[in-house]
Amino acid sequence: MSFGEQYGTLAILVIAGSVLYAIIMLLNRVMRPSVPTPQKLTTYECGVDAAGVGWSQTSIRYYVFAFLFVIFDVEALFLLPWAVIVGDLDATTPISPTFAIVAMFLFVGTLLEGLAYAWKKGVLTWE
Amino acid sequence: MNVELTASLSPAVFVPAPSAFDLDVAFGITVAIKVAFILALFLVVPLVVGYMEHKAMGRLQHRRGPVAAGPFGTLQLVADGIKFIQKEDVIPAAADRKVFALAPGLALVPAILVFLVLPFGPGVWAVDLELGLFYALAISSVSVLGVMMGGWASANKFSLIGGLRAGAQLIAYELPLILAAIAVAVQAGTLSLVGIVEAQATFTLPGTDLNLWFVFPQILGFVIFFLASLAELSRPPFDMPIADSELVFGYMTEYTGIKFAMYLLTEYAGMVSMSALMVVLYLGGWQLLPGVGLPGCEGAGGMFDCGWLGAIGGVVITLAKILILTFIMVWARVAYPRLREDQLQRLSWLVLVPLSLINLAVIAIAKVVVF
């Protein structure tokens, strides 16, 4: 299969999956009863009337983790092509395997240093 | 990088392994067969796993599990499906109706898409992408968007917190998952899932003829991948986004009927696809035991170029391995209590991420020096 045919199959599968969801929803619409009452449509909150609105502000304690995630996820993207090629390197290639491994260790090590700093600063533990 | 360097570093051009569905007919018919194959897998195997979970949880808790619907209760989930589709659809008055209705679909469709690249037996895969491993990991993490949308659109505080927790859990466990998978890519030298199975069938312990699966040199990576995939799927003991003792039912609190069923189907399909990925990456794909080929197979360690007998045998072996892995997931659900949210984050960042980097370093050095 060519490149276009492979990803064409993916595109058609996306459409097929969406159509499957639409069909299931349609089938449900045809077969279900619909008797809404005001009590039934209230927001659930422990059996009492909901206090305030559901979209209230919450303290996301883990936003620091989100920063760390972006850093390491970009690193993972760099690691993928490196991973495929590192086994093919030998003395005849312009880059030696030792160089490839040391370079990647320096890169990962720099990022790990950042993680260690965040750990030492205590942002990874909750009070 | 100069031109000469680029040329000499580029590996051989990737030729996708032909699938058994690549018949000599029009492209449209081939695709129709493949889509039917993927949808059939998606609608049948998760139900089998769901039935196994009912029965296994029942036995582990000294109950019998479902017995009434069909022989030994085997049709229980089919009966559930028929019930779900007739249920009234309750959308809370405060909710954002459009997002609320779309969210389960956005979780469901990526769960289908992962099956595009998963190889189940010799020739039994839809497409052999060069980026197969990357594709599977990337697509499987899109489902969390549907979960977060559902949590937000419900306009319920429990749902909102559940959705946010699902997002936080994904960003924490995506890293150990992908770093463990990269170590497999280093050892196999390819990202194609079929290529990884082939690499395992032909990998021998240096200096001997002993054929080994990647789980043996990378047992640490396998454990990390297993834990991280449990967390990605929000399976107990990592089910904080649902956490019925603190958040009612997390992001699914306001969902009823068929939309709730769609979220459940997503979870079970995720269990199947993650287990299939583990089978491919670590457990030798459709190889019965290390070094044992299938009947009627010629290529690469007796694992490829098979007749129909070998193909069916391969699919049966893969499905059996998937069932064993999903049973272990169910077992963990029964055996361990749920972690606290901060324990979950700490386990990932301070234990699994450093360990997976060490695993990657050891495998990379071993690949260059020994393998």
Side-chain angles (χ1 to χ4, degrees), chain B residues 203-262:
Chain B
F203 171 70
T204 51
L205 199 65
T208 63
D209 284 339
L210 190 62
N211 180 217
L212 282 183
W213 293 343
F214 287 172
V215 67
F216 296 107
Q218 302 202 26
I219 181 73
L220 179 64
F222 177 68
V223 172
I224 292 168
F225 196 95
F226 186 82
L227 286 178
S229 59
L230 272 186
E232 288 242 321
L233 297 166
S234 307
R235 292 286 304 175
F238 301 105
D239 62 336
M240 295 69 152
I242 297 167
D244 49 279
S245 55
E246 18 181 317
L247 293 183
V248 188
F249 215 61
Y251 60 90
M252 292 192 278
T253 302
E254 295 289 2
Y255 277 93
T256 57
I258 193 71
K259 294 197 176 98
F260 176 72
M262 291 295 108

Side-chain angles (χ1 to χ4, degrees), chain A residues 1 5-10 12-14 16-18 20-21 24-25 27-28 31-36 40-46 50-56 58 60 62 65-66 68-69 72-73 75-77 79-80 82-89 93-95 97 101 105 108 112 115 119 124-126, chain B residues 5 8-9 11 16 22 27 31 34-35 38 84-94 101 104-105 108-109 112-113 116 127-129 134-135 152-153 155-158 160 164-165 168 171 174-175 178-179 182 185-186 189 191 248 253-254 258-259 262 341-342 345-346 349-350 357 360-361 364-365 367-368:
Chain A
M1 285 191 103
E5 283 177 337
Q6 288 194 326
Y7 287 92
T9 312
L10 168 61
I12 293 168
L13 188 63
V14 173
S18 314
L20 177 75
Y21 182 68
I24 294 173
M25 288 302 128
L27 214 60
N28 179 234
M31 296 179 77
R32 75 187 174 212
S34 184
V35 266
K40 203 190 272 179
L41 299 184
T42 51
T43 298
Y44 178 80
E45 203 168 297
C46 312
V53 289
W55 291 302
S56 45
T58 39
I60 306 180
Y62 24 82
F65 297 105
L68 282 172
F69 171 70
F72 276 91
D73 214 32
E75 173 219 340
L77 271 184
L79 277 170
L80 279 164
W82 170 83
V84 174
I85 211 161
V86 71
D88 295 334
L89 301 176
T93 47
I95 290 178
I101 284 188
F105 280 6
V108 173
L112 267 182
L115 181 63
W119 186 0
L124 299 185
T125 48
W126 295 11
Chain B
L5 197 64
S8 57
L9 265 181
D22 286 331
F27 175 64
V31 171
K34 286 180 176 176
V35 168
I38 292 167
F84 273 130
I85 213 156
Q86 302 173 66
K87 285 280 229 178
E88 184 178 358
D89 188 27
V90 180
I91 301 181
L108 185 78
V109 173
I112 301 176
L113 295 182
L116 182 74
V127 170
D128 176 29
L129 290 184
F134 178 70
Y135 167 89
W152 179 84
N156 180 318
K157 297 182 192 77
F158 298 118
L160 185 62
L164 288 174
R165 279 187 181 184
I171 62 171
E174 186 70 14
L175 279 175
I178 201 163
L179 289 173
I182 286 173
V186 168
L191 290 175
V248 188
T253 302
E254 295 289 2
I258 193 71
K259 294 197 176 98
M262 291 295 108
E341 183 65 24
D342 61 325
Q345 296 284 342
R346 199 161 58 216
W349 287 104
L350 300 184
L357 283 169
L360 178 61
I365 292 173
K367 171 78 181 175
V368 170

Side-chain angles (χ1 to χ4, degrees), chain B residues 79-132:
Chain B
D80 281 347
I82 295 170
K83 182 195 74 180
F84 273 130
I85 213 156
Q86 302 173 66
K87 285 280 229 178
E88 184 178 358
D89 188 27
V90 180
I91 301 181
D96 185 328
R97 295 183 66 91
K98 280 180 192 151
V99 181
F100 190 86
L102 272 179
L106 190 66
L108 185 78
V109 173
I112 301 176
L113 295 182
V114 183
F115 284 83
L116 182 74
V117 288
L118 295 176
F120 282 84
V124 188
W125 56 78
V127 170
D128 176 29
L129 290 184
E130 184 174 7
L131 288 174

Side-chain angles (χ1 to χ4, degrees), chain B:
Chain B
M1 196 177 275
N2 63 43
V3 178
E4 188 200 357
L5 197 64
T6 320
S8 57
L9 265 181
S10 63
V13 175
F14 177 77
V15 183
S19 141
F21 305 110
D22 286 331
L23 305 171
D24 197 14
V25 288
F27 175 64
I29 300 173
T30 315
V31 171
I33 295 171
K34 286 180 176 176
V35 168
F37 163 71
I38 292 167
L39 291 184
L41 272 179
F42 177 75
L43 293 174
V44 174
V45 184
L47 291 194
V48 176
V49 169
Y51 171 72
M52 185 275 294
E53 173 165 45
H54 274 318
K55 274 295 189 191
M57 273 184 79
R59 288 295 173 185
L60 289 164
Q61 294 167 345
H62 296 270
R63 300 181 283 116
R64 289 183 66 198
V67 286
F72 305 103
T74 39
L75 298 180
Q76 182 61 47
L77 288 175
V78 180
D80 281 347
I82 295 170
K83 182 195 74 180
F84 273 130
I85 213 156
Q86 302 173 66
K87 285 280 229 178
E88 184 178 358
D89 188 27
V90 180
I91 301 181
D96 185 328
R97 295 183 66 91
K98 280 180 192 151
V99 181
F100 190 86
L102 272 179
L106 190 66
L108 185 78
V109 173
I112 301 176
L113 295 182
V114 183
F115 284 83
L116 182 74
V117 288
L118 295 176
F120 282 84
V124 188
W125 56 78
V127 170
D128 176 29
L129 290 184
E130 184 174 7
L131 288 174
L133 178 57
F134 178 70
Y135 167 89
L137 292 173
I139 290 284
S140 65
S141 52
V142 176
S143 282
V144 79
L145 284 180
V147 169
M148 289 183 80
M149 271 168 68
W152 179 84
S154 302
N156 180 318
K157 297 182 192 77
F158 298 118
S159 300
L160 185 62
I161 295 175
L164 288 174
R165 279 187 181 184
Q169 195 156 322
L170 178 98
I171 62 171
Y173 283 85
E174 186 70 14
L175 279 175
L177 192 76
I178 201 163
L179 289 173
I182 286 173
V184 172
V186 168
Q187 198 175 346
T190 175
L191 290 175
S192 147
L193 292 180
V194 178
I196 290 172
V197 173
E198 193 179 336
Q200 285 187 75
T202 50
F203 171 70
T204 51
L205 199 65
T208 63
D209 284 339
L210 190 62
N211 180 217
L212 282 183
W213 293 343
F214 287 172
V215 67
F216 296 107
Q218 302 202 26
I219 181 73
L220 179 64
F222 177 68
V223 172
I224 292 168
F225 196 95
F226 186 82
L227 286 178
S229 59
L230 272 186
E232 288 242 321
L233 297 166
S234 307
R235 292 286 304 175
F238 301 105
D239 62 336
M240 295 69 152
I242 297 167
D244 49 279
S245 55
E246 18 181 317
L247 293 183
V248 188
F249 215 61
Y251 60 90
M252 292 192 278
T253 302
E254 295 289 2
Y255 277 93
T256 57
I258 193 71
K259 294 197 176 98
F260 176 72
M262 291 295 108
Y263 273 131
L264 282 191
L265 184 57
T266 304
E267 180 179 333
Y268 285 99
M271 279 171 78
V272 173
S273 53
M274 275 299 178
S275 303
L277 211 51
M278 277 183 256
V279 169
V280 168
L281 295 182
Y282 295 101
L283 300 175
W286 49 90
Q287 206 174 16
L288 181 60
L289 289 168
V292 180
L294 285 169
C297 298
E298 316 267 319
M303 297 274 288
F304 289 90
D305 307 327
C306 297
W308 60 271
L309 190 67
I312 291 175
V315 173
V316 169
I317 291 170
T318 308
L319 291 180
K321 285 180 183 173
I322 290 174
L323 214 56
I324 292 170
L325 283 174
T326 46
F327 172 75
I328 297 173
M329 290 180 179
V330 173
W331 195 1
R333 169 179 183 176
V334 176
Y336 294 106
R338 182 183 308 122
L339 275 75
R340 219 170 52 214
E341 183 65 24
D342 61 325
Q343 292 171 334
L344 168 102
Q345 296 284 342
R346 199 161 58 216
L347 173 68
S348 169
W349 287 104
L350 300 184
V351 180
L352 295 186
V353 170
L355 275 184
S356 56
L357 283 169
I358 291 170
N359 177 54
L360 178 61
V362 170
I363 294 297
I365 292 173
K367 171 78 181 175
V368 170
V369 179
V370 201
F371 295 155

